[in-house]
Amino acid sequence: NAGVTQTPKFRVLKTGQSMTLLCAQDMNHEYMYWYRQDPGMGLRLIHYSVGEGTTAKGEVPDGYNVSRLKKQNFLLGLESAAPSQTSVYFCASSLLRDTEAFFGQGTRLTVV
Amino acid sequence: RKEVEQDPGPFNVPEGATVAFNCTYSNSASQSFFWYRQDCRKEPKLLMSVYSSGNEDGRFTAQLNRASQYISLLIRDSKLSDSATYLCVVNMGNTGTASKLTFGTGTRLQVTL
């Protein structure tokens, strides 16, 4: 019962470093999403994908890139990390547009 | 104005109490609505979908008022295990386009003995 798995779970980066967050789902879902959650801000959509090979910008895409080369994987990249990107990142997937979104356990990222 | 607004709380209630949360949304064309629950330092999980006719799941009742663009969640006979943050979620995407789940900032509930 893996569901949605995110790696890593914790990471500390120095300003300017790059990293990739991996999201994997084993439910054959079409839709995948990356959110960030900050105190008092709720979850905000960074990028999303409606199927293999497709990506689109969400509410706060600047500073991030994504790729969905395989249906089960959705990668979130930070090319040059900034302290403003310190946050908890959640990946989610859903079968269809209006069905339940399943979330990964989150990645706690600190940029110093 | 935020797209989805909730009272952040916290709501502190004794066990057995009834508590209601409210949520308003800005896009009158929104088609689907949900309540998610998030425990401290955990991921959000679906509590229930919200249908136009209203729906009930055990001690939980959700209502939708499209005219007022308002969603509510009622919890009866509160349990200690209900302590969590409740997220109002609205799909702001138009029908036929990609999903755009928009989350409220959440309402925190603390149930006490």
Side-chain angles (χ1 to χ4, degrees), chain B residues 2-65:
Chain B
K2 290 182 181 177
E3 292 183 297
V4 179
E5 290 203 67
Q6 296 182 250
D7 181 342
F11 283 60
N12 295 300
V13 303
E15 214 175 8
T18 295
V19 61
F21 304 138
N22 303 319
C23 169
T24 57
Y25 60 95
S26 61
N27 185 352
S28 60
S30 298
Q31 295 295 317
S32 50
F33 311 88
F34 310 89
W35 283 102
Y36 277 70
R37 169 190 169 133
Q38 186 173 24
D39 293 299
C40 187
R41 301 179 74 84
K42 298 286 190 180
E43 72 273 24
K45 292 184 179 179
L46 180 68
L47 178 66
M48 58 197 304
S49 301
V50 186
Y51 303 119
S52 295
S53 54
N55 47 302
E56 187 174 311
D57 182 1
R59 298 181 293 107
F60 299 85
T61 301
Q63 297 279 355
L64 169 64
N65 183 323

Side-chain angles (χ1 to χ4, degrees), chain A:
Chain A
N1 288 347
V4 180
T5 303
Q6 289 181 234
T7 52
K9 291 186 170 45
F10 302 92
R11 186 72 186 268
V12 178
L13 283 180
K14 293 183 179 178
T15 298
Q17 286 185 318
S18 63
M19 77 164 295
T20 300
L21 282 67
L22 172 63
C23 177
Q25 54 96 1
D26 61 2
M27 297 173 282
N28 202 33
H29 285 175
E30 291 294 334
Y31 287 80
M32 295 189 75
Y33 317 87
W34 275 106
Y35 288 90
R36 61 178 288 173
Q37 186 172 35
D38 303 290
M41 302 291 288
L43 281 102
R44 293 181 292 169
L45 183 64
I46 304 171
H47 285 281
Y48 64 95
S49 168
V50 301
E52 181 179 317
T54 73
T55 63
K57 294 180 180 179
E59 182 186 355
V60 288
D62 294 343
Y64 305 95
N65 57 75
V66 288
S67 64
R68 183 125 181 244
L69 298 178
K70 293 183 178 180
K71 186 176 183 178
Q72 63 268 32
N73 296 335
F74 195 28
L75 278 63
L76 177 71
L78 285 73
E79 290 183 345
S80 180
S84 60
Q85 294 177 305
T86 294
S87 187
V88 180
Y89 291 85
F90 285 104
C91 174
S93 72
S94 64
L95 179 62
L96 299 172
R97 185 183 174 280
D98 289 325
T99 55
E100 177 181 0
F102 292 84
F103 284 79
Q105 292 180 303
T107 296
R108 295 184 179 277
L109 175 65
T110 302
V111 182
V112 297

